[in-house]
Amino acid sequence: MHLNPTLLVFFLLLTVLPASATEDVISIQGNITSCTVQQPTSSSISIGNYFGGMLDSSRWPARWTCGDWNETEGWVYIISDITIFLSYFSIPIMLLWYIREKSLGNLRWIILLFVAFIGLCGITHLIDATLFWEPVYRLSGFAKLLTGLVSMATAVVLGFVIPSALRFKSPKEMQTEINERRKLQEIFEIFVKYSPGATAMLDSDLEFMMVNDNWYRDYKLQGADITGLSFSAVFPDVDTDDKWTNALTEALKGQVAESEKAKLRYNGETIYLKWRTQPWHLSNGEVGGVFLFTEIITENVLLEKELIRKNKQAQKQAQTMLSVSKVAQIGTWEFDLDTSEIVWSDVVYDIHELPQGGKVELHDVINYYHPDFREELNVAIENAISHQKPYDLELTLVTAKQNIIWVRAIGQPVVKNGKVVALRGLFQDIDSKKKAELILANMNTLLEKKVIQRTSELENVNRELEAFTYTVSHDLRAPLRAINSFSEAFIEEYQDVIPENGIRYLSRITRNSVKMGQLIDDLLEYSRVTRITGDYKTINMREIVSELVENTFSDSLPHITVKSLPSIRGNESLIRQLFQNIISNACKYSRDVAEPRIVIKGTAGENEVIFSISDNGTGFDEKYSDKLYGMFERLHTDDQFEGTGVGLALCKKIMDRHQGRIWAESEIGKGATFYLAFPVKTGI
């Protein structure tokens, strides 16, 4: 429960009154002198003297001293006046705060007048309370006069205002109207949002007030907010062939305009649309703005143009087909199931060697086919009628002149309301083509037999070659080992009696026999690579190369750096042989360098995986790089670097087997880098 502050003050003051004042009426005659009644003075004072002595209290006694007041009566009177003053004065304060916070227009001056009226009423009560001590009756009279004048002015103003105020709606009526307007607003927004096509509402300045989602979609404005933007700002470079922008201006004059197909250049592309402009009106009947309805019909227009183009093309093709059908011996036919009528084109009559235009029956048509194919044709026709299955057959036809030819019969069911009502299709003379195919089939059969025969012969040759290779290898190695052994034994036993030249010759025989053995080994390895097929898989190159370096090149291990190596797909045995040969060359040609360095790394690209093996050895002149991969081709002598000239040829062969590439970059005295490129997508 909330108490009025004024009442609270009133009750507090009552509690502090003397207890004696609340019980019996006690006369204070002894302390308060009754006022003496005097006749009004006949003398008058001027206005100036009146206002100059506004606070003069000498001519009147204080109210406490005039009359028979006891404390209870006096203080009740005083507290009542002060309470009324406080209540009256709180109202103007709140009204002044209100008009300060809110713009009220002309109503502001009416409220200020009302503030003055309420404030003066409160001041008169405050002065009345003061009269108990200070008898400023002249000030009290002036305050009441001023209050009366302001009260009269307020009454006059209210006389003009109240009739207008009576027209104001009550809070309930206003809430009802707000709810109705909100409902209408929601209905309107739903109407705009779900209007077919793109809908926009513009004000009288042609600025967008509201648009639906279709507008943002059609004009590619998703994510933007065009509310408040002008039409020209949203469509700065619009170019249309029937000036829909002018229609907006006319709509502001109350005109309605529309177009069924307008061509519009927008955002660098040509679009077609239907549009309509229509004014909307304010409650006073004036045009408030424009409704703009558009619908993008570009797809329909383009389809219409495409249809016209295709119709023209179809007519042209029909004429062409008519000419071509005669040349290609392709005719058309149709069989009506209801009437059993058969319609043939001229080409079909010609293929049957019948006079054009003659009437034909279904059983006659089937009887023209060779007996071996009649059942097949009957089944195809029955399936087309009963199960709506088209057919495409190659059959033998016996013409009216008893010529046997090959023809192609194509049939397609015509369905209406789920029922086959007709068959139609094409009929072609394929006799020359069919006979050529039969000849070609016979030739292919003979060719396949020959291929099988040649393949068998080649396999026999390969087996013989493999046996020959083994035999040659074994037979050549035996005498080479004998030559090498006897030469070394001869030198060891008779080096004291053999001249120096003889020892040198025998040493050369030994070296060449060893080189011959190495050459045989390389040739056998080259032959093995040529014969290897299949067994391709994904290879972990980091693992393969690290293992190869550690097991095969342990002496050069401190000088070899293996970096990131992507995986590839290939034959593991061949890839191991490939990297062994390249790394072996790098070690060999950099052995005379003070600090040899060999770096092996790889990178994976979109189309290729490329490995590089770099050394800082002797290098070579790049103008001779085309000789690197030839069999027995060498860029250095045996005295400089040993070798057979087969190693890089073998590497080139392995890369060819993997559909890859190999190349080198070098400079004399600055080392060499060999590159191996493997395709990412291969057929292996």
Side-chain angles (χ1 to χ4, degrees):
M1 179 178 180
H2 299 282
L3 294 176
N4 188 298
T6 306
L7 292 177
L8 184 60
V9 173
F10 173 73
F11 286 114
L12 288 174
L13 288 175
L14 286 180
T15 59
V16 300
L17 290 176
S20 59
T22 62
E23 296 294 338
D24 301 326
V25 178
I26 300 174
S27 175
I28 52 175
Q29 193 81 14
N31 297 325
I32 301 176
T33 305
S34 299
C35 60
T36 303
V37 179
Q38 297 180 357
Q39 294 296 326
T41 179
S42 61
S43 62
S44 61
I45 60 174
S46 65
I47 297 300
N49 290 333
Y50 177 83
F51 286 104
M54 184 69 67
L55 299 178
D56 182 16
S57 61
S58 61
R59 300 176 58 232
W60 301 277
R63 187 168 288 177
W64 276 120
T65 63
C66 183
D68 188 10
W69 294 94
N70 62 38
E71 290 187 4
T72 299
E73 292 171 341
W75 281 107
V76 168
Y77 197 97
I78 293 169
I79 291 172
S80 299
D81 277 335
I82 292 175
T83 303
I84 293 172
F85 163 72
L86 292 175
S87 298
Y88 276 6
F89 217 74
S90 65
I91 295 174
I93 291 174
M94 288 187 287
L95 289 175
L96 288 173
W97 175 82
Y98 177 72
I99 64 176
R100 179 184 176 186
E101 296 295 326
K102 190 172 183 65
S103 177
L104 299 173
N106 293 331
L107 188 60
R108 177 187 183 90
W109 302 108
I110 298 174
I111 293 178
L112 287 175
L113 186 61
F114 189 70
V115 166
F117 162 63
I118 297 296
L120 286 172
C121 288
I123 290 172
T124 58
H125 283 277
L126 179 63
I127 294 174
D128 273 354
T130 306
L131 292 177
F132 276 85
W133 292 278
E134 290 293 331
V136 285
Y137 283 97
R138 187 178 291 177
L139 177 61
S140 177
F142 176 73
K144 290 182 178 181
L145 174 62
L146 191 58
T147 300
L149 293 174
V150 174
S151 300
M152 185 61 68
T154 303
V156 172
V157 171
L158 288 176
F160 290 101
V161 172
I162 287 176
S164 299
L166 289 175
R167 292 195 297 269
F168 292 166
K169 294 180 174 60
S170 66
K172 183 176 181 180
E173 292 174 330
M174 292 181 66
Q175 186 61 45
T176 301
E177 184 173 342
I178 290 172
N179 292 338
E180 289 294 330
R181 290 189 177 184
R182 184 181 294 116
K183 183 177 180 181
L184 290 174
Q185 176 73 12
E186 291 174 354
I187 293 174
F188 176 72
E189 290 179 355
I190 292 173
F191 165 74
V192 172
K193 181 177 181 179
Y194 293 103
S195 294
T199 304
M201 182 179 182
L202 294 85
D203 60 16
S204 58
D205 294 324
L206 295 183
E207 293 180 351
F208 286 95
M209 298 175 62
M210 186 184 303
V211 295
N212 64 358
D213 293 341
N214 292 339
W215 190 279
Y216 285 103
R217 180 201 64 199
D218 287 355
Y219 298 104
K220 298 183 172 79
L221 297 170
Q222 290 92 338
D225 183 7
I226 64 174
T227 304
L229 298 180
S230 66
F231 185 85
S232 59
V234 178
F235 297 94
D237 302 318
V238 68
D239 179 21
T240 178
D241 59 0
D242 57 356
K243 305 302 179 186
W244 66 326
T245 51
N246 295 338
L248 294 173
T249 305
E250 295 299 319
L252 293 176
K253 301 176 183 178
Q255 301 296 320
V256 176
E258 61 183 356
S259 174
E260 287 298 318
K261 185 171 72 174
K263 183 179 180 182
L264 174 68
R265 187 71 180 171
Y266 174 70
N267 275 353
E269 60 179 293
T270 299
I271 61 176
Y272 294 88
L273 70 158
K274 292 196 302 184
W275 58 262
R276 177 184 174 87
T277 57
Q278 183 170 330
W280 59 270
H281 297 81
L282 300 171
S283 58
N284 59 8
E286 295 182 359
V287 175
V290 184
F291 276 122
L292 177 56
F293 305 95
T294 68
E295 181 182 353
I296 303 296
I297 57 172
T298 304
E299 185 176 352
N300 293 341
V301 172
L302 295 180
L303 286 174
E304 182 181 348
K305 290 184 176 181
E306 181 67 12
L307 183 60
I308 294 174
R309 187 187 68 81
K310 285 188 176 296
N311 283 338
K312 292 181 179 179
Q313 185 179 10
Q315 293 176 359
K316 185 176 180 180
Q317 287 177 345
Q319 295 175 353
T320 304
M321 284 295 297
L322 185 60
S323 301
V324 170
S325 65
K326 293 182 178 180
V327 176
Q329 288 292 288
I330 299 175
T332 61
W333 61 270
E334 183 170 348
F335 173 48
D336 191 319
L337 297 181
D338 292 335
T339 63
S340 298
E341 182 181 2
I342 297 177
V343 178
W344 281 355
S345 66
D346 293 344
V347 175
V348 179
Y349 282 104
D350 292 341
I351 294 174
H352 283 79
E353 296 184 330
L354 289 170
Q356 295 181 2
K359 186 177 180 179
V360 291
E361 301 291 341
L362 181 60
H363 65 275
D364 293 333
V365 171
I366 294 177
N367 287 335
Y368 278 109
Y369 289 92
H370 193 279
D372 294 342
F373 294 98
R374 290 175 188 171
E375 182 61 26
E376 181 180 359
L377 180 60
N378 281 324
V379 171
I381 294 174
E382 181 61 29
N383 285 333
I385 297 173
S386 302
H387 306 292
Q388 303 180 11
K389 291 183 178 181
Y391 61 85
D392 186 347
L393 304 174
E394 292 183 352
L395 311 168
T396 301
L397 181 74
V398 180
T399 69
K401 296 181 180 180
Q402 300 302 307
N403 292 317
I404 301 175
I405 61 173
W406 280 93
V407 295
R408 182 183 182 187
I410 300 175
Q412 180 74 36
V414 180
V415 181
K416 289 185 179 180
N417 299 323
K419 180 181 178 182
V420 177
V421 296
L423 297 177
R424 64 165 65 112
L426 300 176
F427 196 77
Q428 182 182 13
D429 181 352
I430 59 170
D431 191 60
S432 300
K433 170 178 170 292
K434 191 67 177 179
K435 289 177 180 177
E437 288 177 354
L438 292 174
I439 294 173
L440 182 61
N442 291 332
M443 293 179 64
N444 286 337
T445 302
L446 293 175
L447 182 60
E448 287 177 2
K449 290 180 179 179
K450 286 189 176 182
V451 168
I452 293 173
Q453 180 183 352
R454 294 294 172 85
T455 301
S456 177
E457 293 174 355
L458 182 60
E459 289 175 351
N460 292 333
V461 170
N462 284 335
R463 284 194 295 270
E464 293 174 359
L465 180 60
E466 188 172 349
F468 173 76
T469 301
Y470 175 79
T471 302
V472 169
S473 171
H474 182 271
D475 292 346
L476 286 177
R477 286 177 189 277
L480 283 175
R481 282 195 298 270
I483 292 171
N484 187 36
S485 298
F486 283 117
S487 296
E488 290 179 350
F490 195 81
I491 293 173
E492 184 177 350
E493 292 291 334
Y494 301 103
Q495 59 180 346
D496 296 333
V497 297
I498 300 175
E500 183 177 350
N501 285 340
I503 293 176
R504 187 171 65 253
Y505 293 150
L506 288 172
S507 298
R508 184 173 295 178
I509 290 171
T510 302
R511 287 198 306 273
N512 279 281
S513 64
V514 171
K515 182 178 180 181
M516 186 64 178
Q518 182 63 46
L519 181 59
I520 291 172
D521 290 340
D522 289 346
L523 288 174
L524 288 174
E525 183 63 29
Y526 188 86
S527 175
R528 183 184 72 84
V529 169
T530 304
R531 295 194 306 273
I532 289 179
T533 58
D535 196 22
Y536 289 94
K537 62 182 181 180
T538 301
I539 303 173
N540 186 330
M541 293 303 300
R542 175 75 184 183
E543 181 180 320
I544 290 293
V545 174
S546 297
E547 179 185 339
L548 183 65
V549 170
E550 186 173 346
N551 295 338
T552 308
F553 302 99
S554 56
D555 295 339
S556 304
L557 187 59
H559 312 305
I560 300 177
T561 301
V562 180
K563 296 187 176 181
S564 175
L565 298 176
S567 297
I568 61 171
R569 184 170 177 77
N571 182 285
E572 184 174 332
S573 174
L574 297 182
I575 296 299
R576 190 185 296 273
Q577 181 69 49
L578 170 69
F579 275 83
Q580 180 174 334
N581 286 5
I582 300 294
I583 298 172
S584 177
N585 277 356
C587 292
K588 178 170 63 176
Y589 291 108
S590 60
R591 68 190 179 191
D592 296 334
V593 180
E595 296 182 0
R597 293 188 307 275
I598 299 172
V599 179
I600 306 169
K601 61 183 179 180
T603 56
E606 183 178 353
N607 299 316
E608 287 184 318
V609 176
I610 300 178
F611 299 96
S612 64
I613 299 94
S614 303
D615 64 67
N616 62 340
T618 184
F620 61 86
D621 192 338
E622 285 193 6
K623 70 180 180 180
Y624 300 115
S625 59
D626 57 334
K627 295 183 178 182
L628 289 175
Y629 313 107
M631 188 70 102
F632 308 121
E633 293 280 0
R634 302 199 63 214
L635 301 183
H636 301 87
T637 64
D638 284 345
D639 294 336
Q640 294 174 307
F641 298 99
E642 70 282 358
T644 61
V646 178
L648 287 179
L650 180 62
C651 292
K652 178 66 166 60
K653 190 69 175 178
I654 293 173
M655 291 305 296
D656 290 343
R657 296 295 300 273
H658 288 81
Q659 303 174 17
R661 300 181 295 133
I662 180 173
W663 73 96
E665 296 177 358
S666 180
E667 189 175 344
I668 295 177
K670 294 185 179 181
T673 300
F674 278 82
Y675 295 94
L676 307 171
F678 294 85
V680 173
K681 296 180 180 180
T682 66
I684 61 177

